[in-house]
Amino acid sequence: MASNNQTTGKQNYHIGYKEDTLKAFELRNVTTCLGYLVPTLEALPPTFTLLDVGCGPGSITFDLARRFPQAKIIGVDLGQEVIERNNANIPLHAPGTGIEFRAGNILEPESLFSAEEIGSGFDVVHEHTTLICIPNNIEVLRKMKQLAKKDGGIVACREGDTHSQLLWPPCPESAELQERIYEMNGLDTQTGRKLLSKALEVGFRRDQITASASVLSNITAEERLPYAGSMITMLADENSQYRRATAKFGYTEAQIEVLRKNMERMIEADDGWRLLICTEVICKLDGDS
């Protein structure tokens, strides 16, 4: 999770950091999101260093720390409040591990890391569905490459392709609003399908890249509730960007009620689910690029 104004340093994440939203993102962990990367991490020395870019509520970061307690793992995000929350939760979620969280802009690494950390680089620089939340996200991927160790460092990305999202029961009105909000914020809902192209654009050779794909899903009632519930909360909050967007686009109260009913129906439907295609790349530096 990262601000959609990562390039400017403004904290204006379009979904927000409210508790309902954080609960939805906390469904994400190593098992559900990093199956493509785990074998690579398991092959590294146990004291590897990992940078988690756009860590949000830290559910993936905490899970990594529990699985690899000797590793030095740093989660970064623009949201000061969510970073403070994460650091306060370390004794609860990952005691005795090498985890920490820092607030700042990844495009300004000197504000986040010491000169020694920047100079030595990280064994792994990772992000999960962060690029899709940032305009001109190629610059973030380029910075991730620069922060990885020049010889043997790994840049790992898993990106959603929101344009591919499927909801059942059908919610076309909700999908249309989401698309319009992404467009309003200069975001690309097809970031996932362009991920390999972006990796090549920042200078990785094709033989350095392992590409794969998987599905991010909300299928069970326990998974659908936080996702759809966070949408309902945003629709009820006059100050949320979702509600401000409906005002900007001229939505009537009746149209907003349709959006709300869509999410309520998704929560209640025994046959309901959300599917989102995600693409994945593991890029390994070898000192020649």
Side-chain angles (χ1 to χ4, degrees), residues 36 158-159 192 210-216 276-281:
Y36 80 103
R158 186 176 190 237
E159 269 308 316
T210 300
S212 56
S214 57
V215 175
L216 184 67
L276 177 69
I277 293 175
C278 291
T279 57
E280 304 144 352
V281 294

Side-chain angles (χ1 to χ4, degrees), residues 1 6 20-21 23 29-30 52 65 70 80 83 94 106-107 133 142 144 156 162-163 188 194 207 231 234 241 246:
M1 179 189 296
Q6 182 86 37
D20 283 359
T21 303
K23 289 295 183 185
N29 54 46
V30 171
D52 189 5
Q70 297 181 64
Q80 181 69 43
I83 289 297
I106 194 65
L107 294 179
C133 299
R142 184 172 286 113
M144 292 173 65
T162 307
H163 198 68
D188 185 357
K194 299 174 183 176
D207 65 301
M231 297 296 176
M234 287 187 286
Q241 190 165 159
T246 61

Side-chain angles (χ1 to χ4, degrees), residues 165-240:
Q165 181 170 266
L166 298 175
L167 297 178
W168 188 266
C171 304
E173 302 86 357
S174 302
E176 179 187 20
L177 175 60
Q178 183 179 50
E179 187 82 17
R180 296 180 76 178
I181 290 174
Y182 270 76
E183 181 179 347
M184 178 181 71
N185 285 287
L187 308 178
D188 185 357
T189 58
Q190 298 185 23
T191 293
R193 70 192 67 185
K194 299 174 183 176
L195 184 57
L196 181 53
S197 297
K198 290 176 182 292
L200 292 168
E201 185 177 343
V202 301
F204 288 108
R205 303 189 313 271
R206 185 61 183 88
D207 65 301
Q208 293 176 312
I209 305 170
T210 300
S212 56
S214 57
V215 175
L216 184 67
S217 63
N218 300 81
I219 298 175
T220 67
E222 292 77 17
E223 293 168 343
R224 295 194 311 273
L225 178 58
Y227 169 75
S230 67
M231 297 296 176
I232 292 171
T233 296
M234 287 187 286
L235 288 169
D237 181 1
E238 295 288 347
N239 294 316
S240 74

Side-chain angles (χ1 to χ4, degrees), residues 79-137:
Q80 181 69 43
E81 184 176 346
V82 77
I83 289 297
E84 291 176 356
R85 177 182 186 265
N86 291 348
N87 277 319
N89 282 331
I90 289 175
L92 175 65
H93 295 315
T97 67
I99 191 173
E100 64 176 289
F101 295 92
R102 303 179 189 178
N105 190 335
I106 194 65
L107 294 179
E108 300 170 356
E110 64 282 354
S111 70
L112 284 163
F113 311 112
S114 68
E116 181 180 354
E117 288 171 328
I118 294 173
S120 60
F122 291 86
D123 292 307
V124 182
V125 182
H126 160 265
E127 66 84 23
H128 183 275
T129 61
T130 293
L131 298 181
I132 196 172
C133 299
I134 303 171
N136 193 26
N137 52 37

Side-chain angles (χ1 to χ4, degrees), residues 242-262:
Y242 265 62
R243 278 305 297 269
R244 292 199 301 270
T246 61
K248 178 178 180 178
F249 300 142
Y251 279 50
T252 64
E253 285 299 321
Q255 287 174 302
I256 293 172
E257 182 62 18
V258 168
L259 297 171
R260 185 180 297 110
K261 291 294 185 183
N262 282 344

